[in-house]
Amino acid sequence: MKKISLIFALAYIAVASISFTLFKLDYIGIDLLTSIFVAAILNFINLFLALIAFRFTQKKSNREFLFYNLGGMTARLFLLLVCILTILKFLNIDQDGFILLFFIFYFSQLAVEIGYFSSYKRIKAE
């Protein structure tokens, strides 16, 4: 768990550093910079909630594991949907950039999250 947290922390720091550098060099505007940070923060919160649910259910039965993780995924998706709609309605950001970056962050994070869960089960089974 610490290793995956460190990897994601370093990835988010790299994205923030690159984004801020591009902003300072006038390659991107403040609207796109804000979009990048808001998309990253939403996905970081989503990852944090997923890891909490996974850690909570590590020693539970298969039924409880599925209930909390799949049910939690559904709840997290609805929470993200509400947050995205609120952000698009009330914040002055680059909407196209935000949506594109959100999905890039989301699907890359989801792939790593699934890989982490499956590797954990393989390690535990050995």
Side-chain angles (χ1 to χ4, degrees):
M1 179 94 127
K2 291 180 183 178
K3 189 176 183 179
I4 192 77
S5 300
L6 179 64
I7 290 169
F8 273 106
L10 290 175
Y12 282 108
I13 290 170
V15 167
S17 300
I18 291 169
S19 301
F20 191 70
T21 303
L22 290 173
F23 173 70
K24 283 297 188 182
L25 295 173
D26 289 330
Y27 285 108
I28 62 174
I30 190 71
D31 292 343
L32 186 58
L33 182 68
T34 307
S35 300
I36 293 168
F37 284 123
V38 170
I41 289 169
L42 276 180
N43 278 292
F44 183 76
I45 292 169
N46 185 38
L47 172 69
F48 184 70
L49 293 174
L51 292 178
I52 287 174
F54 182 72
R55 189 157 200 189
F56 177 72
T57 59
Q58 282 179 343
K59 298 189 191 304
K60 305 281 185 189
S61 68
N62 287 340
R63 184 172 189 237
E64 287 176 310
F65 178 83
L66 286 174
F67 176 76
Y68 282 108
N69 284 295
L70 290 180
M73 184 183 296
T74 304
R76 287 185 291 128
L77 282 174
F78 281 118
L79 177 68
L80 284 174
L81 180 63
V82 169
C83 288
I84 289 170
L85 292 175
T86 305
I87 287 167
L88 291 176
K89 178 79 173 163
F90 295 112
L91 286 184
N92 185 22
I93 60 173
D94 180 14
Q95 293 181 352
D96 295 333
F98 170 73
I99 292 170
L100 176 66
L101 290 165
F102 177 81
F103 282 117
I104 289 172
F105 281 131
Y106 182 78
F107 288 119
S108 60
Q109 181 175 300
L110 190 62
V112 173
E113 187 180 319
I114 290 169
Y116 175 72
F117 291 168
S118 65
S119 68
Y120 180 83
K121 288 295 184 184
R122 274 189 266 129
I123 291 170
K124 190 175 176 183
E126 293 176 356

